[in-house]
């Protein structure tokens, strides 16, 4: 039974029992001792899409840990089901809905937002109790440390975006995009003029990439314009694409029906060098497998096609980039340990697989720094860049020689990307060299750019004064 963990949750939170046809629910013989990473990432993505504050976010993870150890349980006390042990006979939805982590998290988060707004003095645990109505109200605050650890892990996984091109109109200059990832699921674009990003609230698609999905970009049909791609993850593993026509993204179509399920890390890049971007999935667990589905121009072909059987374990930061300049994107992983274990490993693409891993740098992107991949000196080979994104706001780079990344502690900018901001690389002025971009989020929602000279990044300047709000996914 789940009496120890799945207390009488949600029984009073949604009203009196509904008149429903009883269905059998199975009492769980035990609860997994560890969390399901797929569930934690989905919970984080959905909560983030509602732009929740830190207290509500923490309460969500406290509730998930107390109720299920962050697992999507098909069983529970009485009629309780799912990650939050919500009860179908108390108005939380059908059993099928409750077993969908996106739906279940949405139900929890929307109620938690209301509880927090009505009770600003509540702790995170008290917000969780307000939603769950548990018979053991103190347990939520007691697991704050565990919940915070899981929250930080999920946030890190969610934020893994090594880089992808964003030239959505095909003029040779990278543009900026933001995915609202809320109920409206809008996609806005601001195109580069070479000296700024033009347009505010220019909607390019009105329903693409909902909360819980991973949004990315890439030229998947080889027409010179970058398209948008979203990975549904979860139990469906669907991949949807909306092609760019140069001024908008067309209606989405499903290009794959089983790819990057659960908490796998998805990426987009041209791994076989045919001019069309493909999709790559890192299992990012103990098996560390890497799967690929190639673009045909109208779909992604291949299911469970393994291109590498051990690359980028949990805790590392995987990415794609053409590091040797042969036209094929390669695998890169940043181990991101302390200064004694912050290696960068590369596996080169052969066009139909990835070769043996090789260490290309032994001290880069330490700890919580944010690494990115792009060609910053314009020589046709992708380089590596890391942002400290703290009060120092330093930016370091190591350029590719084709067989290694050269340079340690070579600072290319001394003040770019503060805490809470989101950095990216893109060729914003079309000179063949990737520049720095940062989305400030927060109160200002500004976008700053620092252009590459080939040996450093110049002074930062504001290219947009309102784009990419907190909670949105920006590229």
């Amino acid at each position: 039974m789940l009496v120890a963990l799945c207390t009488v949750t949600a029984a009073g939170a949604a009203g009196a029992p509904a008149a429903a046809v009883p269905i059998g629910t199975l009492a769980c013989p035990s609860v997994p001792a560890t969390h399901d990473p797929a569930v934690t990432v989905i919970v984080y993505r959905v909560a983030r899409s509602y732009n929740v504050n830190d207290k509500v976010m923490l309460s969500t993870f406290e509730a998930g840990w107390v109720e299920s150890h962050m697992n999507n349980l098909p069983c529970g006390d009485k009629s309780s089901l799912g990650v939050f042990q919500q009860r179908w006979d108390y108005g939380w939805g059908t059993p099928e809905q409750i077993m969908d982590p996106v739906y279940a998290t949405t139900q929890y988060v929307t109620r938690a937002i209301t509880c927090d707004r009505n009770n600003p003095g509540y702790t995170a645990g008290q917000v969780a109790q307000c939603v769950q109505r548990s018979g053991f109200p103190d347990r939520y605050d007691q697991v704050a440390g565990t919940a915070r650890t899981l929250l930080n892990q999920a946030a890190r996984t969610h934020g893994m975006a090594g880089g992808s091109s964003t030239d959505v109109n095909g003029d040779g200059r990278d543009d900026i995009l933001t995915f609202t990832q809320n109920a409206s699921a809008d996609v806005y674009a601001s195109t580069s003029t070479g000296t700024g990003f033009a347009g505010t609230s220019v909607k390019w698609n009105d329903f693409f990439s909902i909360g819980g999905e991973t949004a990315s970009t890439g030229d998947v049909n080889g027409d010179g314009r970058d398209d948008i791609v979203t990975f549904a993850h979860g139990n469906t593993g669907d991949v949807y694409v909306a092609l760019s026509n140069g001024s908008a993204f067309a209606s989405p179509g499903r290009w794959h029906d089983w790819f990057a399920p659960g908490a796998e890390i998805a990426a987009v890049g041209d791994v076989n060098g045919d001019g069309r971007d493909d999709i790559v999935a890192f299992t990012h667990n103990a098996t560390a497998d890497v799967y690929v589905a190639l673009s045909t121009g109208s779909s992604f072909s291949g299911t469970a096609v393994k291109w590498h059987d051990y690359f980028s374990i949990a805790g590392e930061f995987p990415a794609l980039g053409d590091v040797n300049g042969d036209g094929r994107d390669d695998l890169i992983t940043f181990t991101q340990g302390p200064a004694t274990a912050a290696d960068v490993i590369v596996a080169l693409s052969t066009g139909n697989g990835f070769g043996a891993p090789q260490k290309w740098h032994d001290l880069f992107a330490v700890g919580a720094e944010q690494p990115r991949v792009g060609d910053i000196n314009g020589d046709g080979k992708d380089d590596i860049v890391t942002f400290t994104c703290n009060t120092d706001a330093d930016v370091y780079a190591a350029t590719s020689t084709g067989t290694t990344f050269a340079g340690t502690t070579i600072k290319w900018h001394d003040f770019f990307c503060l805490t809470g901001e989101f950095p990216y690389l893109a060729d914003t002025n079309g000179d063949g060299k990737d520049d720095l971009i940062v989305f400030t989020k927060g109160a200002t929602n500004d976008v700053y750019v620092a252009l590459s000279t080939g040996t450093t990044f110049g002074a930062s300047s504001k290219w947009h004064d309102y784009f990419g709000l907190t909670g949105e996914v920006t590229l």
Side-chain angles (χ1 to χ4, degrees), residues 188-417:
Y188 294 91
S190 182
T191 55
S192 173
T193 65
T195 57
F197 294 118
T200 299
S201 301
V202 181
K203 190 185 297 185
W204 276 48
N205 194 285
D206 61 4
F207 197 81
F208 191 87
S209 193
I210 61 174
E213 299 184 355
T214 295
S216 190
T217 56
D219 181 9
V220 298
N221 62 350
D223 66 353
R225 296 187 294 262
D226 284 317
D227 314 298
I228 50 176
V229 183
T230 191
F231 300 84
H233 298 297
N235 298 324
T236 67
D238 290 328
V239 183
Y240 288 89
V241 167
L243 298 174
S244 172
N245 63 21
S247 58
F249 296 116
S251 297
R254 184 165 63 181
W255 278 42
H256 206 293
D257 61 4
W258 185 249
F259 197 84
E264 294 184 3
I265 306 298
V268 179
D270 183 8
V271 297
N272 64 349
D274 66 354
R276 296 188 296 262
D277 281 335
D278 314 300
I279 52 175
V280 177
F282 301 83
T283 62
H284 210 235
N285 54 17
T287 63
D289 293 323
V290 181
Y291 294 93
V292 168
L294 299 174
S295 174
T296 66
S298 57
S299 68
F300 295 119
S301 177
T303 299
V305 181
K306 191 186 297 186
W307 276 42
H308 206 291
D309 61 4
Y310 196 78
F311 195 89
S312 193
I313 60 174
E316 298 183 357
F317 191 113
L320 298 178
D322 181 10
V323 298
N324 62 350
D326 66 355
R328 298 187 295 261
D329 281 332
D330 312 299
L331 300 182
I332 306 158
T333 191
F334 301 84
T335 64
Q336 292 222 278
T340 55
D343 297 326
V344 184
I345 311 296
V346 167
L348 298 175
S349 173
T350 65
N352 55 20
F354 296 112
Q358 312 163 36
K359 186 188 294 187
W360 277 41
H361 205 293
D362 61 3
L363 181 59
F364 197 85
V366 176
E369 293 180 9
Q370 297 195 44
R372 299 290 185 264
V373 178
D375 182 8
I376 59 175
N377 60 358
D379 66 354
K381 298 186 290 284
D382 280 337
D383 313 300
I384 52 175
V385 175
T386 188
F387 300 80
T388 63
C389 287
N390 54 17
T391 53
D392 294 329
D394 291 324
V395 182
Y396 295 92
T399 54
S400 174
T401 66
T403 57
T404 188
F405 294 119
T408 300
T409 64
I410 298 180
K411 191 184 296 185
W412 276 48
H413 204 291
D414 62 3
F415 197 79
F416 198 89
C417 187

